[in-house]
Amino acid sequence: MKLEELSEGYRLAAIPLREKLRRLRQALKAEDDPHRRAALRHEIALLSGIMTQCRELAELTAHYYERGFWRNEKYTL
């Protein structure tokens, strides 16, 4: 498997995450219980981080071998 092929997997993994985040944000708007709101905010923060990583890794793996492509320092040794 090539890194370019992994890129598509990261992009596809982001689709359900995006939908889940949308539903959680809607639930947060409708929620009155402060404890439940805090739990929703926490879950949103966790999933947002995962979503960001999916996008960054999709970009990195799609262009890894291109000359001059700037690589995110988080994913370099």
Side-chain angles (χ1 to χ4, degrees):
M1 177 175 274
K2 296 180 182 180
L3 286 176
E4 195 172 352
E5 295 167 342
L6 284 176
S7 176
E8 184 62 21
Y10 285 117
R11 279 185 177 63
L12 291 174
I15 294 169
L17 288 171
R18 189 176 306 121
E19 180 60 29
K20 176 73 172 176
L21 281 166
R22 186 186 63 75
R23 282 182 296 185
L24 287 171
R25 288 181 179 124
Q26 286 177 341
L28 181 61
K29 288 178 186 179
E31 187 60 57
D32 293 331
D33 179 33
H35 295 292
R36 180 70 183 131
R37 287 180 61 81
L40 286 168
R41 275 192 226 102
H42 179 71
E43 191 170 355
I44 288 169
L46 290 175
L47 288 178
S48 293
I50 295 169
M51 178 81 164
T52 298
Q53 285 182 343
C54 280
R55 281 195 309 255
E56 290 170 350
L57 289 169
E59 183 73 11
L60 174 68
T61 55
H63 303 286
Y64 188 81
Y65 295 109
E66 292 176 11
R67 225 181 234 292
F69 175 69
W70 179 84
R71 289 169 180 80
N72 189 326
E73 289 92 19
K74 286 195 307 190
Y75 304 109
T76 58
L77 299 174

